[in-house]
Amino acid sequence: MAAVPAMTAKGSDRGGTAPPPPRCRGAACEGRDPVNMLCGFPPDTLIEHRTASGAHLQVRYSSECGTSWGRVWGTRVGDRVELTAAGPTRSAEVTDTLDAKAYVYTPMTRTRPGTVVRACFRSATAPGRECFEATVR
C-alpha cells in the first residue's frame, strides 16, 4: 500500500471577508485536501487532545463540505495521524522537519451529523496508539 503524503497548510488572515465557497461537497471531497478544497473555513473542532508525546491532535468537521479530517502539530518526524469514519481510513505522516513545524492534515472523509469519527495518533517514539472518538453534530 502506497503511503499518502502529508498535507500541510499555512494560516492566513482573511481580513473579515466572507470565506470563498468550497470546491467540493460530500463524496466529491473524499480523499482530498481540506485546505485546497476550501473546506477549512471555518470548520468545527470535534476532538482536541494533547497526546502523551506532547503533540496536539484535532478532528475538524465542515458542515459546508460534509467532511471531516484530522490534523496534528507539535510533532516529530515519523508521527502519524489516522482518521476513520464511515469510509476508508485516511492518514498522514510527518515526513520531515518542515512537517514537524507545521500542521499536518489527513485527507478528508465524508461525514454527516450522527457519523462517529475516530482519530488515532501513532508516535514515532512510543509503541501503540492513542485513539479518540466523537460524533458529528
Side-chain angles (χ1 to χ4, degrees):
M1 176 180 234
V4 175
M7 298 179 194
T8 59
K10 296 178 182 169
S12 64
D13 181 3
R14 296 210 158 279
T17 62
R23 295 180 177 159
C24 65
R25 293 182 198 270
C29 294
E30 191 70 47
R32 301 184 83 176
D33 181 323
V35 175
N36 289 338
M37 295 295 104
L38 304 176
C39 292
F41 307 106
D44 292 326
T45 300
L46 300 177
I47 298 170
E48 186 161 0
H49 184 77
R50 187 167 183 175
T51 69
S53 68
H56 294 269
L57 167 76
Q58 286 183 330
V59 172
R60 311 288 278 197
Y61 169 69
S62 169
S63 59
E64 284 284 316
C65 293
T67 59
S68 293
W69 62 94
R71 77 176 185 165
V72 291
W73 68 96
T75 55
R76 297 181 183 115
V77 174
D79 287 350
R80 184 176 188 83
V81 60
E82 300 169 344
L83 184 79
T84 306
T89 297
R90 302 293 179 186
S91 63
E93 185 172 336
V94 178
T95 59
D96 57 33
T97 55
L98 292 176
D99 283 350
K101 293 179 183 180
Y103 294 100
V104 177
Y105 297 85
T106 68
M108 293 183 285
T109 191
R110 187 171 100 178
T111 54
R112 63 184 78 149
T115 303
V116 175
V117 180
R118 179 179 173 97
C120 295
F121 177 79
R122 292 181 181 263
S123 172
T125 59
R129 58 188 184 158
E130 297 175 63
C131 296
F132 311 92
E133 289 185 353
T135 302
V136 175
R137 294 172 271 187

